[in-house]
Amino acid sequence: MAAAAARPSDAALRRIDCHLIAVIDLRTPEATRRRLSELDAEPVMVDDPDERGGYLLSRLREVRRLCSDNPVYRWPNQYGNPANPDVHARTTGPEISRQGGSSCNTAYIAVSTGGSLPADTWKHSTRIID
């Protein structure tokens, strides 16, 4: 399995009989690296920034390359999953609303897949600051 760094549980990986290949970058926190090591994950380091100066696009290219070179690998691909915004609408949006309360008028949201943005616009007037 090829995947961007995530937080799978030991039980989840055992249940699906999965070996995790975690595509990480230089900004991956040490705590995440330790957790991946505890899970016996195979880290693949991406150290070339993408055209935007970050690593997300470089990591995604590496995951696609790994999957192309190894047809047995599977990638859940939250970035291409049409259900992603719906999951955020049912979970992330309401969670932010509960935690922020009625007086919350601003939320800073990491863009990543963009799934959180549609989830949050249903409840809040969202202004994207780049």
Side-chain angles (χ1 to χ4, degrees), residues 6-86:
R7 294 191 60 197
S9 69
D10 296 320
L13 291 175
R14 280 194 305 275
R15 190 169 47 251
I16 61 174
D17 191 25
C18 177
H19 173 71
L20 175 65
I21 299 170
V23 177
I24 62 176
D25 63 57
L26 298 173
R27 295 178 182 168
T28 302
E30 187 56 39
T32 301
R33 293 179 194 205
R34 278 193 307 272
R35 180 69 179 131
L36 290 169
S37 177
E38 292 167 4
L39 292 170
D40 293 324
E42 179 183 339
V44 173
M45 177 63 71
V46 171
D47 57 8
D48 291 326
D50 59 36
E51 54 274 16
R52 296 180 181 170
Y55 291 95
L56 175 61
L57 300 177
S58 296
R59 288 194 324 268
L60 292 174
R61 274 193 289 274
E62 181 63 10
V63 169
R64 286 186 186 97
R65 185 195 67 75
L66 286 167
C67 290
S68 175
D69 291 351
N70 303 280
V72 298
Y73 287 4
R74 296 295 175 257
W75 176 31
N77 191 5
Q78 66 182 12
Y79 300 92
N81 186 335
N84 190 23
D86 181 57

